[in-house]
Amino acid sequence: MLETVQDTRQRLLEVAEQFYAERGFEGTSLRSLTDAAGVNLAAVNYHFGSKRNLMWEMFSARIEPINTQRMFLLDKVLAGPELPTLEGVFDALLVPVFDVAQGPNGANLIFLRMIGRVFSESEEFWHQLHNQFFDVLCRRFLDAIVLAEPKLSPEEVAWRFHFSIATMLGALGTHKSLNRNCASVPTLNGNDMDETCLRLRNFICAGFRGAQLKP
Amino acid sequence: MLETVQDTRQRLLEVAEQFYAERGFEGTSLRSLTDAAGVNLAAVNYHFGSKRNLMWEMFSARIEPINTQRMFLLDKVLAGPELPTLEGVFDALLVPVFDVAQGPNGANLIFLRMIGRVFSESEEFWHQLHNQFFDVLCRRFLDAIVLAEPKLSPEEVAWRFHFSIATMLGALGTHKSLNRNCASVPTLNGNDMDETCLRLRNFICAGFRGAQLKP
DNA sequence: GTCTATAGTCCGATAGAC
DNA sequence: GTCTATCGGACTATAGAC
């Protein structure tokens, strides 16, 4: 194995992502984490100060480049001469996630599950994460959707956006289990991230457009 | 307060639901749980044998009546002279959940969050829950959807059903946080379960129908 | 920066009196 | 069926040698 030698800090971040994705915050012990990373238990507090800070920095390192890219793509959609489309807006939201998931060594399903698990965190931790990483982003995307669907009231947009986010997070969180959720269900090829992303985007856009309360 | 006196076992089940919804399995300690329930710590092992069995029975007591009702409604949809509709099938899946959530004392958001949290459980526990409570159900609903949308291949149905379930679970899990996910988002009236259910069903049906891979 | 050793706390489970 | 008391172990965090 000619892998690049990684320092302790980086190894901790990588194993933290995997363990968090598989077991959640409370379910991950620092002992099991440092054992799997091949580093000393005390290294967590030396490099990060606490278990919580380790997880926070792991999440931050993953989500901030994605959110930067989301904003960049959204700005591009909004800068055009025409009104934005739902497809353009939701592509800006989804494509950066699946770009990261489509790693060089095959689909990074751990990463998807980690992202999807965040929203079932305990209330306080989730609230802090949301304020730090999603509040502004959420507002920007809502404003863009109002432009894309000008006939809908803000409340109507809020409802449909809520379901759209629920679909995205639910799909990310359950993605790893695709092939065994139902024993007798056809196997889904969940390794092609581009196809998964496009299917998800099409589902969300269609749901959004067709979700009028009274049929 | 003229409440009916409840026995220890029932109080444990109720507090277990609340704590599981708010903190998850690993995040719930038996001491905090028994304190909140006003019962002795040892009562958990006397009545249920273990923390795990307590949570399992809590979930079973909640989901089994719902699944019975789901099957009943699905059978009704399938017994008609005409082919089932997507709306009928997804109503059979969703309405029993929101019927329970629409409790006599207002919306039972704890219950919704508990259901939505289950799918982010650790792999092993989730797998066992799925085998026990969802495997057969899932197969039955998939078969019904194939009848409702006969032009779609089984693989195509499986993809779209996956996203539909993701939407449902994501919406249940995040429902409690509706009003503070975005500070500047219009407040959603998340207390009318019938309206929430209908909106969710319409979103899912529209997403399902419009989720073709190639536009 | 890495290690050993351990403090101090909390955990699930259970024995045994009542 | 409920209680006290406690076991044995796991946890996070840290002190201090190297």
Side-chain angles (χ1 to χ4, degrees):
Chain A
M1 299 288 284
L2 291 175
E3 291 179 8
T4 305
V5 176
Q6 297 162 323
D7 67 3
T8 297
R9 186 185 165 86
Q10 190 58 31
R11 273 206 300 260
L12 281 171
L13 287 171
E14 286 169 11
V15 177
E17 178 177 359
Q18 178 188 342
F19 275 43
Y20 179 78
E22 291 171 353
R23 318 178 190 187
F25 183 86
E26 309 276 2
T28 297
S29 77
L30 292 185
R31 278 177 175 76
S32 63
L33 197 157
T34 51
D35 283 354
V39 307
N40 189 271
L41 169 63
V44 172
N45 272 272
Y46 177 77
H47 287 283
F48 298 95
S50 69
K51 173 184 178 180
R52 185 202 162 84
N53 283 359
L54 164 61
M55 293 299 188
W56 186 278
E57 290 204 31
M58 174 275 291
F59 186 72
S60 174
R62 276 298 201 180
I63 201 65
E64 287 206 323
I66 289 174
N67 281 351
T68 300
Q69 184 68 6
R70 283 168 160 170
M71 291 289 202
F72 173 76
L73 293 177
L74 186 65
D75 284 339
K76 251 176 53 175
V77 168
L78 293 172
E82 297 166 14
L83 284 179
T85 63
L86 271 189
E87 280 74 12
V89 174
F90 280 113
D91 271 343
L93 189 70
L94 296 171
V95 167
V97 175
F98 285 91
D99 275 353
V100 170
Q102 185 66 76
N105 304 318
N108 186 349
L109 301 180
I110 291 291
F111 165 72
L112 289 180
R113 187 140 173 86
M114 184 275 288
I115 297 286
R117 187 184 279 277
V118 168
F119 87 107
S120 64
E121 268 306 333
S122 67
E123 303 276 326
E124 188 199 350
F125 195 32
W126 163 246
H127 202 180
Q128 292 170 3
L129 281 170
H130 192 277
N131 285 344
Q132 177 83 24
F133 299 110
F134 299 121
D135 216 19
V136 174
L137 190 84
C138 196
R139 183 71 252 169
R140 294 276 321 273
F141 273 82
L142 268 167
D143 290 343
I145 290 173
V146 169
L147 289 179
E149 297 285 327
K151 290 178 187 167
L152 297 179
S153 71
E155 192 201 353
E156 194 61 41
V157 169
W159 266 108
R160 301 181 189 202
F161 188 63
H162 169 65
F163 290 136
S164 304
I165 299 299
T167 307
M168 176 184 75
L169 292 174
L172 295 180
T174 58
H175 189 81
K176 187 162 187 271
S177 313
L178 271 181
N179 293 329
R180 55 191 187 83
N181 266 349
C182 275
S184 44
V185 166
T187 297
L188 300 178
N189 174 15
N191 291 325
D192 184 333
M193 290 296 113
D194 288 341
E195 180 181 332
T196 303
C197 183
L198 186 56
R199 284 184 183 276
L200 180 57
R201 180 262 253 173
N202 288 342
F203 185 97
I204 289 175
C205 288
F208 194 102
R209 288 203 178 90
Q212 66 281 1
L213 182 55
K214 312 280 181 189
Chain B
M1 299 289 285
L2 290 176
E3 291 180 9
T4 304
V5 176
Q6 298 162 322
D7 67 3
T8 297
R9 187 186 163 86
Q10 190 58 30
R11 273 207 298 262
L12 281 172
L13 287 172
E14 286 169 10
V15 177
E17 177 177 0
Q18 178 189 341
F19 275 44
Y20 180 78
E22 291 172 353
R23 318 177 190 187
F25 183 86
E26 309 275 4
T28 298
S29 78
L30 292 186
R31 280 172 176 79
S32 64
L33 198 156
T34 50
D35 282 354
V39 306
N40 190 271
L41 170 63
V44 172
N45 272 276
Y46 177 77
H47 286 283
F48 298 95
S50 70
K51 173 183 177 181
R52 185 203 162 83
N53 283 358
L54 164 61
M55 293 298 186
W56 186 277
E57 291 205 30
M58 175 275 290
F59 186 71
S60 174
R62 276 297 202 180
I63 201 66
E64 287 204 325
I66 289 174
N67 281 351
T68 299
Q69 183 68 3
R70 283 168 160 170
M71 291 287 204
F72 173 76
L73 293 177
L74 185 65
D75 284 340
K76 250 177 53 175
V77 167
L78 292 173
E82 297 167 12
L83 283 180
T85 63
L86 271 189
E87 281 73 12
V89 174
F90 280 113
D91 271 343
L93 190 70
L94 295 171
V95 167
V97 175
F98 285 91
D99 275 353
V100 170
Q102 185 66 74
N105 304 318
N108 186 348
L109 301 181
I110 291 291
F111 165 72
L112 289 181
R113 186 141 174 86
M114 184 275 288
I115 296 286
R117 187 184 279 277
V118 168
F119 87 106
S120 64
E121 268 305 331
S122 67
E123 302 277 325
E124 187 199 352
F125 195 32
W126 164 246
H127 202 181
Q128 291 172 4
L129 281 169
H130 193 277
N131 284 344
Q132 177 83 24
F133 298 111
F134 299 121
D135 215 19
V136 174
L137 190 84
C138 197
R139 182 70 253 169
R140 295 275 323 273
F141 272 83
L142 268 168
D143 289 343
I145 290 174
V146 169
L147 289 178
E149 297 285 327
K151 291 178 187 167
L152 296 179
S153 71
E155 192 201 352
E156 194 62 41
V157 168
W159 267 108
R160 300 180 190 203
F161 187 64
H162 169 66
F163 290 136
S164 303
I165 298 298
T167 307
M168 176 184 74
L169 292 173
L172 297 180
T174 58
H175 191 80
K176 186 162 186 271
S177 314
L178 271 182
N179 293 329
R180 55 192 188 80
N181 266 349
C182 275
S184 43
V185 167
T187 298
L188 300 179
N189 175 14
N191 291 326
D192 184 333
M193 290 296 113
D194 288 341
E195 181 181 331
T196 303
C197 184
L198 185 56
R199 284 183 182 277
L200 180 56
R201 180 261 253 173
N202 287 342
F203 184 97
I204 288 175
C205 289
F208 194 100
R209 288 202 177 90
Q212 67 282 358
L213 181 56
K214 312 281 180 183

